[in-house]
Amino acid sequence: MTTLILIYLGVALVGSGLPFIRVYLAHFHNLVHLVISACLEGSKLHLNRDGSGQTTGNHASPFKKALISYAGYTGASVAAIGLFYLVSRGHNHLVIYLYLGLSVLALLLWIRNAFGVIWGLSIAVLLAFPIYFRYETVLPVNVNFEMVLVHMSIFLASILFVQSIIGAVQVCKQAFMSRSNPKRKAALVQTKLVPAVVLGLTLAGQTACVGYFLVQNFISFPFSF
């Protein structure tokens, strides 16, 4: 299990730097993060072609939006740990069911732009495919779909964790930019009530703690940290 987790963490990290694939993988994290934000804010969400995402609500104050965004990032990190927990207990099918259910629910309730709908539909089909054939007794090819679910569940958890780290690093970088910089887009660093640097470093530190927890509990190294 440790070997598979390390392999898929590496694949998720490399894929996050490749064109198009980077955008596709980024939205795995954006979906969880933005659905949490949309629920708290009472708004819809957009998944953009550049790998970014945003909620459509604009009635909240910058401080409230920052808190909501922080809750979204935190929820995504907790979700990654939850998925790894299910994987470690052998409940790989639950990982697929949960993310498939979230994708379908997001398509019905929150996603409201064309690119986001296309992405959501592709993920729903991709995840539903092995689940459907898992229960088929007659198949044209001999494929062990139980193992497919194992690999897909570990990859999903790895993507969510890696993208949580990348998202935290991006927010932290934006926190050190001047307010006039157009690249400073994250809602978490827009509030003036709390210094953006404090929020950025807090998120980065929190994500580092999540990574440490992951290593300590789900990855078995022949040495200890």
Side-chain angles (χ1 to χ4, degrees):
M1 184 62 70
T2 293
T3 302
L4 284 178
I5 291 176
L6 291 176
I7 289 174
Y8 282 119
L9 285 173
V11 171
L13 183 60
V14 172
S16 297
L18 299 177
F20 181 74
I21 296 177
R22 173 186 63 82
V23 174
Y24 203 78
L25 296 184
H27 286 317
F28 281 91
H29 174 266
N30 288 337
L31 183 67
V32 179
H33 164 217
L34 293 175
V35 162
I36 294 173
S37 298
C39 289
L40 295 174
E41 196 175 359
S43 61
K44 307 300 179 183
L45 63 90
H46 287 177
L47 302 177
N48 303 320
R49 293 176 181 270
D50 61 354
S52 65
Q54 63 188 53
T55 55
T56 59
N58 54 12
H59 56 277
S61 67
F63 179 67
K64 184 178 180 181
K65 287 184 72 70
L67 289 180
I68 291 173
S69 179
Y70 180 79
Y73 282 108
T74 302
S77 296
V78 172
I81 294 299
L83 295 188
F84 275 114
Y85 175 81
L86 292 175
V87 166
S88 68
R89 294 297 184 270
H91 303 308
N92 306 90
H93 60 289
L94 289 180
V95 173
I96 307 300
Y97 286 140
L98 286 171
Y99 206 91
L100 175 60
L102 179 63
S103 302
V104 172
L105 199 61
L107 284 168
L108 294 175
L109 300 179
W110 295 294
I111 299 177
R112 289 297 180 268
N113 68 314
F115 182 81
V117 170
I118 293 173
W119 180 88
L121 286 174
S122 68
I123 292 302
V125 171
L126 183 65
L127 296 180
F129 183 81
I131 293 176
Y132 172 78
F133 283 106
R134 180 190 185 198
Y135 298 105
E136 285 289 307
T137 56
V138 180
L139 295 173
V141 292
N142 185 19
V143 178
N144 186 344
F145 282 97
E146 291 296 332
M147 284 305 300
V148 172
L149 291 177
V150 170
H151 287 274
M152 288 184 68
S153 62
I154 298 175
F155 190 41
L156 267 176
S158 299
I159 292 172
L160 195 55
F161 174 68
V162 168
Q163 288 297 325
S164 293
I165 295 176
I166 293 174
V169 170
Q170 291 175 342
V171 169
C172 196
K173 286 173 59 178
Q174 291 183 31
F176 286 91
M177 297 178 181
S178 65
R179 291 190 175 275
S180 59
N181 194 320
K183 293 183 179 180
R184 182 172 166 154
K185 300 177 181 179
L188 192 61
V189 297
Q190 299 303 319
T191 179
K192 297 180 180 179
L193 189 60
V194 179
V197 172
V198 173
L199 292 174
L201 291 176
T202 299
L203 181 63
Q206 174 183 289
T207 306
C209 290
V210 170
Y212 179 78
F213 182 85
L214 170 68
V215 171
Q216 288 289 86
N217 291 274
F218 303 115
I219 300 179
S220 301
F221 288 111
F223 52 86
S224 59
F225 288 90

